[in-house]
Structure formats: C-alpha cells, structure tokens
Amino acid sequence: MELANMPPTGHFIGGKWVESASGQQFETMNPATEEVLAKVARGGMAEVEQAVAAARQALSGPWGMMPPKEHGRFLHTISQHITAHAGELARLETLDNGKPLSLAEEEVRGAARYFEYYAGAADKIHGEQIPLGPNRLNFTVREPMGVTAHIVPWNKPLNILARSLAPALATGNTAVIKPSELTPLTALKLAEIFAEAGCAPGVINVVNGFGEEAGAALAGHTAIDHLTFTGSVQTGRTVMKAAAEHIKPVVLELGGKSPLLVFADADLDLAVAEAVNGISTNCGQMCSAGSRLLVESSIKEAFVAKLAARLAALRIGPGVDDPDMGPLVSAVQVSRVTGHIEIAQSEGARMVLGGKRPSHLSRGYFLLPTLFDGVLPDMHIAQEEVFGPVLSLTTFADEAEALRIANDVKYGLIAAVFTQNIDRALRLALRLQAGQVFVNEYYTGDEEMPFGGTKQSGFGRLKGLAALDEYTQVKNVAVRMKGEG
Ligand code: NDP
C-alpha cells in the first residue's frame, strides 16, 4: 500500500506546523513489514512549552469567547471531516499500528462518533440553582478546566485520542496532545483535519516525541490544568506523581485483566465467539482485552475444544489484507508477550495452542493466538496484564468461587458473565469489581457507555455524559439580597 495522504510530520502548535528546536526526528515503523513509514519531529520541553502557551492563549481568543452551541457546531464539523477522511485515517492507522483494516475503519467511525456525540452535548452542560431561602440566590456554574493534556497510547491511537479530546473540547477547554512515538500518524492527520475545518490557532496542539521526553515534560508542566493519561499502570503512576507536584487533576485509564465467567447453562457457542473476539481484537493489545476465562468445571472440556478450534482458525497477516489478527505493534511488545508466555510455562500452565510466530510469515511482529489451560488463580499469567493474544483458562466449581477468582486481581476494568440465569447474572453484575460489566456479550463498547477502571485500572470516567464531569469544574455563586421593606 502506498503512503498517499501522509500528514505533515512536524509538531502542530498554535495552528502551524513546526519542526523541533533540536532538529531531531524519530522513525515510525510498519509492524507488518518492519519498514520505516515516516520520520517525525522529536519534541521535548521546548515544544511542550510552546504548545501549552498556545493552548492557554486560545482560551482567551475566539474559542474561549464562543457560546457552547458554537463549540457543538464545530465538533459536529470535525465529525463530518473525520468521516470524509475515514479511508485515509484507517489506512494510516493500519500501516502505523498493524491492526486489520476493518478494525481501523471501525475505530475511525468511533472517533467520528465521539465528536458527533459530544457535539450534541456541548450546549446542554449547565449548573443548578440551589434554594437557600427567600433572601438568598445560590447557583452553580460549570467552567472549563482550561488547558487539558492528553497522553495517548499506541493501541487505538486515533480512537483513544478522540475519546478524551471530544469531551474536553465540548466543555470549552483547549488541548495539548502527546501521541505515542510508535503511532503518531493519525494524531497528525487529525490536526490537519482541524486546520482544514478552520479551527482557531492553539485550540489543539500536537507534540510528538518519546514518553520520557515530551510526555514527561507535558505531565509535569505547571501550566496545564488537567491531564488524561491512557497506558500502563507503571507509566500512569509516574504521570500521576508528576501531576501531583502541581496538584493537577488526572484521569487515568490503565490496564486490565478482565474475566469472562462462563457458567454451565450458558450458550456455549456465543461464549466461545465472544471469548475469541475479546482476546483476538487488536491482537489482544486492548486494556479491555478479555484475557481471563473462568469456566465452570463441568463444561471445561467441551469449551476448550470449541475455543481451541476457533482460535486455530483465525487468519493472521498484514493489516492491509484485513485478516482476523495483524502483528503486535513492535519487537519490544513481542518480547514482552513472549516473556509472559515463558513464565506461564515455567509455572506449569498447559499451553493448548500458539506461543510462537506463524510459520507462513517471515517478517513482521506476528504471534499466534495462545491459549493456556490449567491456570491457577495466583499464577503470573492469571494476574498480570499481557497485552497480547494470550488467553488463560481457569475452572471454578460454583458461583462463589467464580466471583472470588474474578475479583482477586489488582485490576478492575471490565467483566462479563455468560449464563441463562437472570438472578445470577444480576447478582454478579453488582458484585464484580469492574467499571463495566457485560452479560451474554463482551465489550460492545458504545460511545454512550461510561468507561473507566476501579482498583489499579485507574479512575475517572470517559465516554458517555460522565466524561463531561471530568473536564468541567463546578463554581458555586451565593448572593445575599437585601429584602425590600
Ligand atoms: P506506556 O504506558 O509507557 O505508554 C503510554 C503513553 O505514555 C505513550 O504515549 C508513551 O509515550 C507515554 N509515556 C511513556 N513514558 C512516559 C512518561 N515518563 N511520562 C509521560 N508519558 C509517558 O506504554 P508502553 O508503550 O510502554 O506499553 C507498556 C505496557 O503498557 C503494555 O505492554 C501494556 O501492558 C500497557 N499499555 C496499556 C494500554 C492501555 O490502554 N491500558 C495502552 C498501552 C500500553 P511513548 O509511547 O512515546 O513512550
């Protein structure tokens, strides 16, 4: 696939494309071919300083003066422009990240939908009047936070960016974005789309670069007012500490080790299909990956047989050929995932299939879907996020045991229950420690549904109307009136 419609590869600051002060660049690669796709400007403190200043200035410019309905109209325009460029965006994402083209297309549709959804919300965000008696008028005002920072990972680069950017802009904030150095291209294309749509300078700014340089400079910057971080627990902790130095609010969307609980009365074909989907989508590189299967002992053999057959049938190849699974994002990610596989084997888990690269592909960061059976709840593979196509299967005897195993991890992002028993489904939905619980489906992930973690999966909610609370602060105004006569 040729690289038509490549966006500019500088930083987008104050409405202009600029190169790094240092003149340095870094390469972004195609993980399916290991070829260099583009050289991108490598920013650091100097570029973050400029971007934060531009975003601050934009707050007092035309954007800051705009009525909410105009913010909404602008977001709607962005949604339409994303849709108009959907083909280019999806191709860029597939080339940069490796994901199958149809998945990239779905994520681009999701990005457009975020802007559409929050466009409709922009003029419906308001405070309330709180009665305090005849001579008092008390009301609240919901104000933007100001300059919002968005540190974005590589697994769903455009979609995750849109997830926080759209509500931040709908509430009148401005933004500085730091894409992952592994996948910067769609954030740059989005900046180009904003410029094309007539965005005022400084409303969004993109600084490319490495996490330890540009990311750390942004997280620790005294003049940002809010930080959204999506990525690993380890980096989330670092970012939160940096923000704590200046008492900045953060939304942390971190990892997961999400369980699918499959009871003997479940529709097994449905549960198998959703389990395959939950671990193969994006090659398992999803915070929401369904990486733990908890299966009632009596159906284990039948379940494993069906599951293994479905996993073995998955088509693997370059994302541009639209297989079921593309490559992992990088050589580093392959070695992280295979490291987890080796630990699982050394601890005695039984590998049913996978564990190695597919023999028909000689280049690219490919790995076969991998299934472990006989996994005990305290094993490494049952506790740690792998972020690859590796599924671990543990059996349980009854509902109480299923719940105990499901909750006994440090994460709490998503959980799913497969059963025909409505009482059990609802009981578990209330008791599972997770930000989202699904019953007889896995991760439909619509934009209207509040999403976020409990425990070390993070805090704060994105998606849905809940996200609007993250990007506004409440001011209370109390007025004492002189009574007449
Ligand atoms: P990171 O958490 O390190 O990266 C996420 C984002 O943070 C990237 O934009 C990264 O930039 C940036 N970043 C890195 N270091 C810093 C820092 N010190 N200050 C500010 N920003 C920083 O993820 P990795 O790419 O290293 O992946 C490691 C593991 O993280 C994965 O194996 C997976 O388990 C998990 N992960 C989870 C995600 C999720 O959605 N929950 C998403 C991505 C990863 P850059 O990429 O340029 O270094």
Side-chain angles (χ1 to χ4, degrees):
M1 181 177 296
E2 94 235 359
L3 295 180
N5 302 307
M6 178 68 82
T9 53
H11 312 287
F12 185 70
I13 299 177
K16 295 198 171 68
W17 293 98
V18 295
E19 292 306 318
S20 294
S22 67
Q24 286 185 307
Q25 293 183 314
F26 64 92
E27 291 173 342
T28 185
M29 314 269 294
N30 179 340
T33 61
E34 305 179 33
E35 288 164 357
V36 174
L37 281 171
K39 289 188 176 175
V40 178
R42 173 175 165 181
M45 184 56 89
E47 290 73 27
V48 167
E49 286 287 359
Q50 290 167 27
V52 172
R56 168 96 24 227
Q57 208 180 344
L59 286 168
S60 50
W63 177 258
M65 299 300 120
M66 236 181 228
K69 65 184 169 196
E70 294 301 332
H71 287 151
R73 283 185 184 137
F74 180 70
L75 262 62
H76 193 250
T77 304
I78 292 296
S79 174
Q80 290 174 320
H81 280 243
I82 291 173
T83 302
H85 290 281
E88 298 155 54
L89 284 161
R91 265 197 310 280
L92 276 178
E93 203 77 296
T94 286
L95 291 171
D96 213 7
N97 166 281
K99 66 185 67 216
L101 199 50
S102 57
L103 178 60
E105 286 164 356
E106 188 184 316
E107 291 179 10
V108 171
R109 277 195 298 279
R113 171 72 184 133
Y114 281 124
F115 284 96
E116 178 189 61
Y117 177 82
Y118 289 109
D123 57 0
K124 297 166 194 72
I125 304 158
H126 40 68
E128 55 186 353
Q129 188 261 322
I130 302 163
L132 291 178
N135 291 329
R136 312 270 313 271
L137 176 63
N138 193 88
F139 59 92
T140 61
V141 181
R142 288 176 72 180
E143 298 178 335
M145 305 299 290
V147 175
T148 61
H150 305 253
I151 299 180
V152 184
W154 42 260
N155 58 330
K156 293 172 72 179
L158 179 70
N159 189 276
I160 286 181
L161 170 56
R163 187 172 78 184
S164 62
L165 183 61
L169 296 182
T171 41
N173 298 282
T174 59
V176 179
I177 298 152
K178 208 300 276 177
S180 169
E181 101 238 4
L182 294 173
T183 54
L185 297 181
T186 47
L188 294 170
K189 189 76 191 173
L190 186 66
E192 194 177 50
I193 287 171
F194 267 74
E196 173 189 283
C199 184
V203 173
I204 74 155
N205 305 273
V206 181
V207 178
N208 307 297
F210 296 150
E212 302 77 27
E213 295 174 3
L218 184 56
H221 202 290
T222 54
I224 61 165
D225 300 301
H226 183 278
L227 173 69
T228 307
F229 170 81
T230 309
S232 62
V233 171
Q234 198 185 353
T235 309
R237 196 175 284 124
T238 305
V239 157
M240 191 176 169
K241 281 184 189 156
E245 281 299 314
H246 306 288
I247 319 290
K248 301 300 187 235
V250 293
V251 170
L252 295 182
E253 294 286 355
L254 308 178
K257 194 73 193 173
S258 299
L260 279 71
L261 283 60
V262 185
F263 287 85
D265 66 350
D267 176 337
L268 282 201
D269 289 328
L270 171 73
V272 166
E274 293 294 86
V276 170
N277 194 24
I279 199 63
S280 63
T281 299
N282 213 23
C283 210
Q285 301 167 117
M286 302 278 272
C287 51
S288 50
S291 53
R292 282 191 300 153
L293 262 176
L294 310 184
V295 178
E296 192 162 351
S297 309
S298 59
I299 55 161
K300 202 267 288 211
E301 296 305 330
F303 194 85
V304 169
K306 281 176 187 274
L307 180 65
R310 287 290 291 267
L311 288 171
L314 290 175
R315 293 169 299 118
I316 300 166
V320 292
D321 297 339
D322 204 26
D324 297 314
M325 262 181 33
L328 290 162
V329 76
S330 65
V332 169
Q333 196 59 17
V334 172
S335 78
R336 281 183 187 142
V337 175
T338 48
H340 287 292
I341 291 173
E342 282 160 19
I343 296 173
Q345 288 177 299
S346 73
E347 287 186 349
R350 186 175 75 85
M351 192 193 285
V352 180
L353 83 168
K356 54 180 194 264
R357 66 176 295 128
S359 52
H360 69 286
L361 293 160
S362 56
R363 279 190 312 168
Y365 308 127
F366 292 96
L367 191 67
L368 287 169
T370 302
L371 173 62
F372 282 105
D373 187 8
V375 174
L376 302 177
D378 59 351
M379 283 181 180
H380 172 98
I381 199 68
Q383 293 287 328
E384 299 301 326
E385 183 176 49
V386 173
F387 228 64
V390 181
L391 190 50
S392 74
L393 192 147
T394 303
T395 53
F396 62 82
D398 56 23
E399 184 181 320
E401 191 185 20
L403 181 65
R404 185 172 52 69
I405 297 171
N407 284 343
D408 192 19
V409 291
K410 65 187 170 209
Y411 296 106
L413 193 57
I414 293 188
V417 183
F418 290 84
T419 180
Q420 302 296 328
N421 180 333
I422 183 73
D423 293 322
R424 176 157 59 202
L426 292 176
R427 245 188 338 258
L428 286 169
L430 296 185
R431 291 174 192 170
L432 283 161
Q433 296 167 348
Q436 289 188 334
V437 177
F438 293 94
V439 176
N440 294 329
E441 63 171 345
Y442 191 73
Y443 196 57
T444 38
D446 300 52
E447 292 75 14
E448 299 88 337
M449 299 172 8
F451 173 83
T454 62
K455 304 196 279 187
Q456 290 192 24
S457 292
F459 53 83
R461 291 293 176 269
L462 296 176
K463 308 175 95 167
L465 296 178
L468 299 170
D469 292 338
E470 304 291 346
Y471 297 99
T472 51
Q473 51 196 338
V474 174
K475 178 185 278 176
N476 188 86
V477 180
V479 183
R480 186 179 293 281
M481 294 168 282
K482 281 194 175 153
E484 198 176 305

